[in-house]
Amino acid sequence: MEKIKVKFSNGSEILYDKGITFSEILDRSFSDLKDKAIAAKINGELVDLDEKLLYECLLEFITPDSPEGEKIFWHSTSHIMAGAVKDLFPEVKLGIGPAIEEGFYYDFDRDTPFSLEDLEKIEKRMNEIVKNDFPFQRRKLPKSEALMLFKKENETYKIEIISELEEDTVTLYEHDRFIDLCRGPHLLSTGMIKSFKLIKVAGAYWRGSEKNRMLQRIYGISYPTEQKLKLYLEKIEKAKERDHRKLGKELELYSFYEEAGAGLVFWHPKGAVIRKTIEDFWIKEHQMAGYELVYTPHIAKLELWKKSGHTDFYAEYMYQSIRAEDEEYQLKPMNCPFHMLIYQSKIRSYRDLPFKLAELGTVYRYERSGVLHGLMRVRSITQDDAHIFCSPEQLEDEVIKLLDFTLHLLKSFGFSDYQIYLATRPEKFIGETKDWDKATDTLKIALKKHQLEYNMDEAGGAFYGPKIDLHIKDALGRPWQCTTIQFDFNLPERFDLTYVGEDGKPHRPFIIHRALLGALERFFGVLIEHYAGAFPLWLSPVQVVVMPITSEIKNYARKVADLLLKKGLRVKLDDRSEKINYRIREAEIQKIPYMFIVGKREEKENKVSVRKHRKGDLGTFELDEIVSQLTKEIEDKTTGL
RNA sequence: GCCGAUGUAGCUCAGUGGUAGAGCAAGUGAUUUGUAAUCACUAGGUCAGAGGUUCGAAUCCUCUCAUCGGCUCCA
């Protein structure tokens, strides 16, 4: 019998008979993993455990604890769910059923959507399938046979997928009476899924396109133990506690009104303080980075938007134009054309470049009703916008500086966890290919220089230029695009922008269009969730609350509060005749960073007793001492003490 | 926009065809408190809005608005 050498990730090497299955290798050499492993990974490729060892390889066993293992586990569960659905509702047609970041889904074509009662029935049937411990059987078929098989079942979506596959043979997986097109790998049998839950139903267009039929999607999650499922569900519940929509209400930060309109944000006093603090910081930083601040109107003649091209390519997001004195005006969906006008207001020389215009400009976009989401997607959007006009020679340096600036800003708000995407030329584009390549390379160079990991979003750029996008996840793990750094090859052409070069001739400037926080509304949303509402001192709407223990100490408490106010701190005095515990509790719930508690002792010694949010009593401090500590904490933008 | 769910007091929620409820918050009074809820009383609602069915609608039906979970797009 031919022997084959297998290497393992711990460096060891073992010889096995050719043709032995990976399950058998488990039995023989890794009995501890035997009940846990659900797939094998040979030279980086995932395969079923019942596949045979045929060549020398690096072998690794996958358990449901690893991200790869979870995916396999969830994918198998989605097959079980689809099997259950077909058993209960034989008329449905199958769409696709992949594992996703957390769990799995399966799309079904059915005239009536699934109800919550249907889900219960499906879960029940799934339980039976799990109990029966059916094996997952892999079958390789020539494409033509697979097509015939699905034609017989009238599975039109499967037929569509198979027809588009390039391979000659396809893999099918079968358990019980259910058979599905699938690359695999899968669990050995259905019995391994000890615990699962169907979470929600939703409509989803076939292949994500609104032109196609809407299918019924069922989402679910599964784990190898009950305990893990429970932990997952608890995690979700806990994450909901930091949802900015819940905290926004509890902390009175902002609101929406049915009578005002969906997606239109009202910043309440406490939210407004935070916004103003962000804006002041942002303006100061931008001025230091060589930007010049501008303000532009909220509407402009429709003609301008025709010139910029927005009426062609952005019409679906624009509100209807407004008519006044035989002239059409348009509420602005972007700030760009206005900055172009300012650039054009005089002849620019190469000596003026880079020319950087910055504006916290509120734009209005008609986002479709179904996509609105708290502060994350609204219709009144305050972009932290800027346009950098520069020469080709300055491009690289500017992008590198820009990325540096971005990371610095985000870090100031405590963000270091984000996903970066580099989006390249789409099929439909304007401008010269060579400019696109240069711009894309410049973005790549900048990313490399900062040693940032990024994902390619091939052909994902805007039609007017490539871009770097940066996504931050919310409490429930949903990604939201914040930073965007985009090249714009459209506007310089449309507005015929030029600068006079050293040679005395006109040249076309490059434009980098960027929003670093993205939009104040969305950024505030992710900020709330990032800090779970407990903002660092520099951002807290109320920084200190002063509480006298009894009304006898009122005057001293007021004196302390006045002094803090004079030092520029945001202070509240809580001298209600409630018990101190009651007032502390309230301040804790409001997530106020510091409580200064004063009684007879403190008054006598001219001190304050300091309590920190979530941490408790820090002891007594001299007023000067604690004020300078807090001032430093504000300057450092830390969470302090 | 599409699919589904939801909308009752400031907030969280109970109430499924027969006179609108609770807790917290609010107001008043008492209490003078030492590090996460003192007590009592009072007030508060066109049951999202409009139309319909019914002797009678928070409850059943239709439409509109809004919110939530998705699809798609994006700051």
Side-chain angles (χ1 to χ4, degrees):
Chain A
M1 177 66 86
E2 190 184 339
K3 296 279 185 189
I4 289 185
K5 187 162 74 179
V6 175
K7 288 185 211 156
F8 294 92
S9 48
N10 63 6
S12 66
E13 294 180 2
I14 305 179
L15 289 175
Y16 293 101
D17 292 338
K18 184 175 179 178
I20 187 175
T21 68
F22 297 108
S23 271
E24 285 162 344
I25 293 180
L26 265 177
D27 277 341
R28 206 166 296 174
S29 317
F30 301 91
S31 50
D32 53 322
L33 270 179
K34 189 177 173 271
D35 294 328
K36 286 177 72 190
I38 55 172
K41 193 174 180 183
I42 50 169
N43 299 334
E45 193 190 341
L46 293 168
V47 298
D48 287 313
L49 286 178
D50 62 2
E51 292 256 22
K52 290 181 175 129
L53 175 67
L54 296 175
Y55 48 87
E56 185 177 322
C57 62
L58 176 70
L59 175 63
E60 201 182 325
F61 287 105
I62 303 293
T63 68
D65 300 327
S66 69
E68 285 166 319
E70 276 185 322
K71 288 261 161 82
I72 295 167
F73 200 80
W74 289 330
H75 195 176
S76 293
T77 318
S78 96
H79 274 229
I80 293 173
M81 177 174 79
V85 168
K86 279 295 250 184
D87 287 345
L88 293 166
F89 312 97
E91 77 282 7
V92 305
K93 286 186 196 175
L94 300 170
I96 56 165
I100 51 176
E101 205 141 305
E102 280 192 337
F104 59 88
Y105 69 77
Y106 213 110
D107 287 342
F108 305 97
D109 187 354
R110 184 174 186 240
D111 289 334
T112 43
F114 295 104
S115 65
L116 291 175
E117 292 81 62
D118 291 338
L119 287 196
E120 279 172 37
K121 279 186 218 155
I122 296 164
E123 280 187 347
K124 223 172 132 192
R125 176 68 194 129
M126 286 172 72
N127 265 318
E128 290 168 16
I129 296 170
V130 168
K131 270 210 191 88
N132 278 314
D133 199 15
F134 296 112
F136 277 101
Q137 285 171 321
R138 187 181 54 255
R139 280 165 58 181
K140 280 198 161 68
L141 283 185
K143 209 162 135 180
S144 57
E145 272 182 50
L147 275 173
M148 259 167 47
L149 192 143
F150 284 112
K151 261 180 196 150
K152 212 175 80 196
E153 303 285 331
N154 199 24
E155 292 287 4
T156 48
Y157 299 97
K158 295 292 173 195
I159 294 167
E160 188 178 325
I161 297 171
I162 295 174
S163 323
E164 286 171 21
L165 288 178
E166 286 178 8
E167 296 89 340
D168 296 330
T169 58
V170 298
T171 329
L172 305 177
Y173 277 83
E174 190 173 6
H175 73 271
D176 193 11
R177 296 180 306 262
F178 179 78
I179 187 157
D180 196 1
L181 172 74
C182 186
R183 201 174 272 131
H186 275 284
L187 304 180
L188 285 176
S189 68
T190 62
M192 296 172 86
I193 291 154
K194 302 293 186 216
S195 192
F196 61 85
K197 189 172 169 58
L198 302 185
I199 310 272
K200 58 201 173 195
V201 283
Y205 298 103
W206 169 239
R207 300 197 143 175
S209 168
E210 281 165 50
K211 288 176 198 135
N212 295 334
R213 186 168 159 83
M214 180 166 270
L215 309 181
Q216 301 305 320
R217 177 172 298 180
I218 303 177
Y219 286 89
I221 186 92
S222 62
Y223 285 99
T225 63
E226 282 286 342
Q227 179 64 14
K228 283 206 168 160
L229 177 66
K230 211 179 124 204
L231 280 176
Y232 169 78
L233 295 173
E234 277 168 9
K235 194 186 91 186
I236 296 289
E237 280 313 303
K238 227 175 140 194
K240 283 182 185 162
E241 289 297 309
R242 55 196 307 154
D243 190 314
H244 75 282
R245 293 165 298 184
K246 185 172 156 67
L247 288 168
K249 208 176 267 177
E250 284 171 4
L251 303 178
E252 301 176 62
L253 300 174
Y254 70 92
S255 64
F256 296 96
Y257 297 94
E258 192 178 329
E259 55 266 62
L264 301 171
V265 189
F266 289 67
W267 297 72
H268 288 215
K270 284 179 183 160
V273 165
I274 297 174
R275 169 167 168 167
K276 182 67 168 50
T277 308
I278 295 171
E279 288 179 350
D280 289 348
F281 170 69
W282 186 93
I283 290 169
K284 204 182 93 209
E285 290 288 329
H286 276 71
Q287 286 172 334
M288 287 196 302
Y291 289 81
E292 295 177 88
L293 201 60
V294 295
Y295 296 96
T296 63
H298 286 231
I299 63 171
K301 284 183 184 171
L302 191 59
E303 279 305 312
L304 181 68
W305 300 101
K306 283 184 183 160
K307 183 172 183 180
S308 67
H310 284 83
T311 49
D312 296 329
F313 65 78
Y314 212 68
E316 62 170 318
Y317 291 108
M318 283 153 65
Y319 277 90
Q320 290 275 301
S321 59
I322 306 161
R323 196 166 185 85
E325 291 191 353
D326 291 333
E327 194 72 59
E328 295 288 330
Y329 287 85
Q330 177 62 51
L331 201 51
K332 69 172 168 183
M334 289 189 191
N335 302 302
C336 321
F338 297 169
H339 292 191
M340 299 306 123
L341 293 181
I342 295 174
Y343 180 91
Q344 264 186 324
S345 63
K346 65 178 219 181
I347 292 176
R348 304 285 170 184
S349 146
Y350 71 97
R351 293 169 188 275
D352 298 327
L353 304 183
F355 183 56
K356 308 180 187 181
L357 292 179
E359 174 174 18
L360 289 160
T362 305
V363 301
Y364 298 87
R365 297 184 182 171
Y366 196 80
E367 293 286 351
R368 292 184 299 173
S369 55
V371 304
L372 298 171
H373 184 103
L375 285 177
M376 304 300 199
R377 177 166 282 102
V378 296
R379 286 174 175 165
S380 56
I381 306 157
T382 309
Q383 294 186 309
D384 69 314
D385 210 356
H387 292 86
I388 299 170
F389 303 82
C390 66
S391 67
E393 298 76 42
Q394 293 166 330
L395 205 58
E396 190 173 313
D397 196 34
E398 282 305 314
V399 174
I400 289 168
K401 273 200 271 185
L402 188 49
L403 213 50
D404 210 36
F405 190 39
T406 306
L407 300 180
H408 162 67
L409 283 189
L410 291 176
K411 203 172 154 221
S412 305
F413 291 99
F415 289 108
S416 54
D417 189 16
Y418 31 69
Q419 290 77 47
I420 303 173
Y421 294 86
L422 174 60
T424 58
R425 194 177 63 233
E427 266 178 49
K428 265 193 184 168
F429 68 98
I430 70 135
E432 302 293 322
T433 316
K434 69 170 177 31
D435 285 341
W436 274 84
D437 292 345
K438 179 178 165 61
T440 309
D441 282 346
T442 309
L443 293 176
K444 273 188 195 161
I445 288 166
L447 286 166
K448 234 179 221 156
K449 202 132 197 161
H450 289 86
Q451 297 183 320
L452 291 167
E453 278 187 31
Y454 63 94
N455 307 299
M456 290 302 294
D457 181 5
E458 296 290 353
F463 79 94
Y464 51 79
K467 57 176 184 169
I468 291 175
D469 286 341
L470 203 143
H471 296 203
I472 298 178
K473 282 184 183 166
D474 72 12
L476 288 166
R478 293 172 290 215
W480 297 98
Q481 183 192 309
C482 290
T483 308
T484 185
I485 297 172
Q486 327 183 324
F487 276 90
D488 194 325
F489 299 128
N490 178 45
L491 293 175
E493 293 291 333
R494 283 189 177 256
F495 283 81
D496 192 22
L497 300 188
T498 55
Y499 65 91
V500 180
E502 255 173 293
D503 55 6
K505 288 179 185 149
H507 296 267
R508 187 76 78 210
F510 269 88
I511 294 185
I512 307 166
H513 175 201
R514 38 115 297 181
L516 302 188
L517 308 181
L520 291 185
E521 291 78 9
R522 177 176 293 176
F523 189 72
F524 191 32
V526 295
L527 195 65
I528 294 168
E529 303 202 353
H530 178 67
Y531 288 118
F535 296 103
L537 194 61
W538 75 288
L539 289 169
S540 281
V542 177
Q543 293 168 320
V544 182
V545 57
V546 182
M547 305 178 208
I549 289 181
T550 71
S551 54
E552 275 176 54
I553 320 295
K554 257 188 191 181
N555 286 335
Y556 178 63
R558 181 162 299 132
K559 217 180 84 190
V560 170
D562 283 348
L563 188 126
L564 296 177
L565 213 57
K566 275 198 197 109
K567 296 280 185 182
L569 288 157
R570 297 189 284 267
V571 191
K572 277 255 152 66
L573 177 67
D574 185 357
D575 58 0
R576 291 173 300 171
S577 66
E578 299 288 350
K579 285 186 119 172
I580 195 71
N581 278 349
Y582 179 89
R583 284 175 283 161
I584 286 172
R585 179 181 152 80
E586 200 156 276
E588 286 285 345
I589 289 169
Q590 283 296 307
K591 304 178 198 288
I592 295 167
Y594 289 99
M595 285 159 250
F596 286 7
I597 294 160
V598 293
K600 274 188 194 152
R601 292 201 295 267
E602 287 78 6
E603 185 181 29
K604 212 159 102 195
E605 296 171 6
N606 208 32
K607 287 185 171 177
V608 290
S609 173
V610 176
R611 183 190 163 99
K612 172 141 203 207
H613 172 64
R614 277 187 183 149
K615 287 211 175 123
D617 197 358
L618 300 182
T620 52
F621 288 76
E622 297 282 350
L623 258 177
D624 288 351
E625 184 193 354
I626 189 71
V627 167
S628 65
Q629 278 197 37
L630 296 197
T631 312
K632 185 167 188 313
E633 185 176 330
I634 289 168
E635 263 169 34
D636 295 347
K637 301 187 172 54
T638 57
T639 44
L641 297 185

